[in-house]
Amino acid sequence: MLVGALILAAVFLAFANGANDNFKGVATLYGSNAASYRTALALATIATLAGSITSVFLAEGLITAFSGKGLVPDVVAASQSFLLAVAFGAAVTVMLATRLGFPVSTTHALTGALVGAGFIAAGDALNLGQLGTAFFLPLLVSPALAVLIAMPFYAAASRGVKLFGIERESCVCIGPRQFVPVSTMASNMASRDCCDAGCVSSAGIELSVGRNSECVIKYRGNFLGLSAQGLVDGLHYCSAAAVSFARGLNDTPKIAGLLLVVKAFDIRISMIALATAMALGGIVAARRVAETMSKKISIMNDGQALSANLVTAALVIGASRYGVPVSTTHVSVGAISGAGIVNGTVNGGVLGSILLSWVLTLPIAAVAAGLLMWFQNQIV
């Protein structure tokens, strides 16, 4: 009975993880209008599944890290009741944040749940030194590192675009996803500033754009014989797939670590089952977090979105390879914010709310896991 409850809790955690995290890799595609919500979600689902399956072979270090070994005594780490409390505390926390539209870290929630359940189960035997070096340090450093890398990377990329003679131009959207450069309409317009005032064409079509943020930046020119905009779009899709792949690679083994104690199941089969639950969570319940990540943190043009994705993919894939438990959420938000700081579009209020949700994630997960662990002890 306890084994069944542990498996269900792990699957629920994987579902909650998918609902909160699946869209983060493709948030820049949707946010920069390079893809519709459904197209972006389909890409995220496929790439995440591929990353999850690959993690079976490449991410053994994360499986061990999130089984609780080293943080609590081995006898506690092998306890089904301890792992059940951890899975439950993390799942409840991530699902609550998803319902509220906050992009939080499953890694952070798992860490908090390990602390809460570990404190009740092990007391003074809880290894706080292991907690600081193996868990807290990577979680704190990764978003700051993403910001610090994304800012100069985006700035350098912008200068490189100019060196190759590729120009950026403002566009307005007429009808369903038909981006028309303002420069091609200027001769037919009563007003050339289509971002700040209404425009009337010679054909009698009235255009009105209320805010500068509603103008879209596209690229004009060629690079190595290829259309600059087409090349950016292609790289953008590839980078979004890479981030989603990295997320599946990094997150699946963390949840699978909770099932190591279930000897009746091969860990590889467990990881595939969890990957399926993650995909379903993203398909069913990703919309609210998607809107926050894509539309509210920063106004993204294609160049900013591509830069943020490349930085996120590089950091998360590298961390997964060496068993470092970074958060895809923290890295992705940090990269998007870093590029937004450079072009002056980052929304400080939204970013502050997200940071507050990150602060609250750990104690909420710790309390939830600790309460379930205490309740189980009382029954025993």
Side-chain angles (χ1 to χ4, degrees):
M1 185 174 179
L2 195 58
V3 170
L6 173 57
I7 293 172
L8 288 176
V11 170
F12 178 44
L13 175 58
F15 180 89
N17 171 270
N20 197 275
D21 281 19
N22 263 19
F23 205 84
K24 291 168 184 174
V26 296
T28 57
L29 281 175
Y30 181 46
S32 62
N33 297 307
S36 66
Y37 175 81
R38 289 187 177 182
T39 299
L41 183 59
L43 176 63
T45 301
I46 294 171
T48 300
L49 274 172
S52 297
I53 293 172
T54 304
S55 70
V56 173
F57 308 99
L58 296 181
E60 294 88 348
L62 287 173
I63 295 177
T64 303
F66 282 89
S67 65
K69 291 184 177 180
L71 181 64
V72 295
D74 289 347
V75 65
V76 175
S79 166
Q80 295 171 1
S81 60
F82 168 74
L83 294 172
L84 172 60
V86 172
F88 173 80
V92 167
T93 304
V94 175
M95 206 64 213
L96 175 62
T98 302
R99 294 295 300 168
L100 296 174
F102 288 117
V104 298
S105 165
T106 302
T107 307
H108 211 177
L110 275 169
T111 303
L114 284 168
V115 172
F119 179 77
I120 299 299
D124 294 339
L126 182 66
N127 188 349
L128 295 178
Q130 171 76 4
L131 185 68
T133 57
F135 294 92
F136 281 144
L137 188 59
L139 290 173
L140 292 174
V141 170
S142 59
L145 187 61
V147 171
L148 294 176
I149 293 176
M151 289 177 66
F153 183 83
Y154 175 59
S158 297
R159 288 193 294 270
V161 164
K162 294 179 181 178
L163 289 176
F164 286 104
I166 298 172
E167 299 178 355
R168 296 189 302 176
E169 58 185 1
S170 296
C171 298
V172 290
C173 185
I174 303 175
R177 298 184 59 77
Q178 299 178 34
F179 292 107
V180 180
V182 171
S183 59
T184 64
M185 303 166 60
S187 60
N188 295 324
M189 294 299 172
S191 170
R192 296 176 65 90
D193 189 359
C194 295
C195 293
D196 293 322
C199 306
V200 180
S201 71
S202 59
I205 300 174
E206 183 175 349
L207 306 175
S208 180
V209 182
R211 297 185 303 273
N212 282 330
S213 62
E214 293 174 336
C215 287
V216 176
I217 302 298
K218 296 293 180 181
Y219 292 92
R220 179 176 58 189
N222 294 290
F223 179 75
L224 299 178
L226 300 174
S227 164
Q229 185 60 50
L231 184 60
V232 168
D233 287 341
L235 290 174
H236 193 179
Y237 270 82
C238 289
S239 67
V243 173
S244 297
F245 178 89
R247 198 195 71 73
L249 184 68
N250 195 269
D251 280 3
T252 307
K254 297 173 187 174
I255 303 173
L258 300 172
L259 297 179
L260 283 176
V261 70
V262 183
K263 303 299 184 182
F265 293 95
D266 184 274
I267 191 63
R268 296 180 179 181
I269 296 176
S270 299
M271 291 174 74
I272 293 174
L274 294 175
T276 303
M278 286 166 59
L280 289 175
I283 293 171
V284 172
R287 188 82 194 208
R288 292 187 180 182
V289 174
E291 292 295 330
T292 300
M293 289 286 295
S294 303
K295 305 292 187 180
K296 297 180 180 180
I297 296 176
S298 174
I299 299 167
M300 289 180 277
N301 60 48
D302 291 326
Q304 176 186 345
L306 175 58
S307 299
N309 270 10
L310 290 175
V311 170
T312 302
L315 287 177
V316 176
I317 290 176
S320 300
R321 179 64 185 87
Y322 293 101
V324 180
V326 302
S327 163
T328 307
T329 303
H330 290 183
V331 174
S332 181
V333 170
I336 292 172
S337 301
I341 291 171
V342 174
N343 66 14
T345 63
V346 68
N347 188 324
V350 171
L351 189 58
S353 298
I354 292 174
L355 292 176
L356 179 61
S357 72
W358 291 359
V359 171
L360 294 176
T361 297
L362 193 147
I364 291 175
V367 170
L371 284 175
L372 182 56
M373 191 71 237
W374 176 84
F375 181 71
Q376 291 181 99
N377 286 345
Q378 297 306 305
I379 293 177
V380 173

